Amino acid sequence: MEEKKILPEKYYHSYYHDLLLHVKHKYTPLLSHSEKCFITDFNRLSVDCQCLYLRLQNRKGQYFRFSKFHYPEINNINHCLQKLIKKGFCTVVGNEIEEDIIEVFNLYNRAELIALAQYFGISTYGFSKLNKLGLLNYLLTKIPFEDLLTCFQNEPIIRQGFVEEALMIQ
């Protein structure tokens, strides 16, 4: 039986830097101005900030509940988040999410959505018949958008920045 290989703690960081070096060496003339700026700005971040951005980049979707981030290899994750926000590598969502509200509320599980309904005084009778998407759509018809935004005050939702540039480099 083959032994399981143990990866270094920040293996993904090393891999990404190798990728960036390869892209810069081979494809610099083909990179857009924003892609070149992305690489430069990314390299200026601390290693822990780079790691947090890479963790964002490797997650599914573009919206995230920061309270769900648990990466023991990243020191002072809150400080790193603030640095990423300051440098544009992610944003805290606000009014601009109206068109993506289903994607954002899909980050919550069924029990949390039911608790949300109860918080807003909506009867949960008949919810057991609804799938999660049906429940989401129902809540969106019953709760005004401005009231939904108040849900993010205690737990910010994060949106990854530089999505196109990061995808192009990958």
Side-chain angles (χ1 to χ4, degrees):
M1 190 167 168
E2 196 175 314
E3 275 190 53
K4 190 173 181 178
K5 194 174 193 177
I6 298 175
L7 296 171
E9 189 176 57
K10 295 180 180 178
Y11 70 92
Y12 56 94
H13 181 263
S14 300
Y15 167 77
Y16 198 74
H17 267 278
D18 290 347
L19 175 66
L20 287 179
L21 287 173
H22 178 75
V23 167
K24 278 180 73 173
H25 179 70
K26 290 264 192 186
Y27 303 106
T28 294
L30 302 175
L31 296 175
S32 70
H33 176 72
S34 64
E35 291 160 352
K36 290 175 186 174
C37 288
F38 168 78
I39 292 171
T40 300
D41 292 345
F42 180 82
N43 284 326
R44 289 180 179 155
L45 294 170
S46 71
V47 170
D48 280 339
C49 290
Q50 290 176 359
C51 286
L52 181 56
Y53 181 76
L54 293 174
R55 290 296 195 175
L56 277 172
Q57 186 180 349
N58 290 325
R59 284 180 163 236
K60 185 177 159 188
Q62 59 178 309
Y63 295 100
F64 312 100
R65 292 171 68 181
F66 189 68
S67 65
K68 301 294 181 185
F69 284 16
H70 301 288
Y71 301 115
E73 79 276 13
I74 300 174
N75 296 314
N76 201 345
I77 197 167
N78 289 320
H79 172 76
C80 289
L81 175 64
Q82 294 309 312
K83 284 286 190 188
L84 291 180
I85 292 169
K86 184 177 179 182
K87 300 293 183 181
F89 283 85
C90 64
T91 56
V92 177
V93 301
N95 295 340
E96 79 284 351
I97 63 159
E98 190 161 8
E99 64 191 42
D100 296 330
I101 195 74
I102 288 183
E103 185 179 350
V104 170
F105 273 94
N106 202 33
L107 298 172
Y108 296 87
N109 64 37
R110 190 173 175 75
E112 290 169 319
L113 293 173
I114 291 171
L116 180 69
Q118 292 169 334
Y119 174 79
F120 283 105
I122 298 170
S123 169
T124 58
Y125 179 78
F127 279 10
S128 61
K129 297 175 189 169
L130 296 173
N131 65 18
K132 186 176 175 182
L133 183 58
L135 178 57
L136 275 169
N137 283 319
Y138 179 77
L139 292 176
L140 293 175
T141 64
K142 296 294 181 188
I143 305 170
F145 178 74
E146 296 76 27
D147 292 343
L148 286 172
L149 289 178
T150 64
C151 299
F152 308 134
Q153 290 174 350
N154 294 332
E155 180 193 25
I157 302 296
I158 307 303
R159 181 178 188 179
Q160 178 189 349
F162 299 113
V163 174
E164 291 83 19
E165 293 83 356
L167 283 174
M168 181 58 134
I169 288 167
Q170 283 184 327

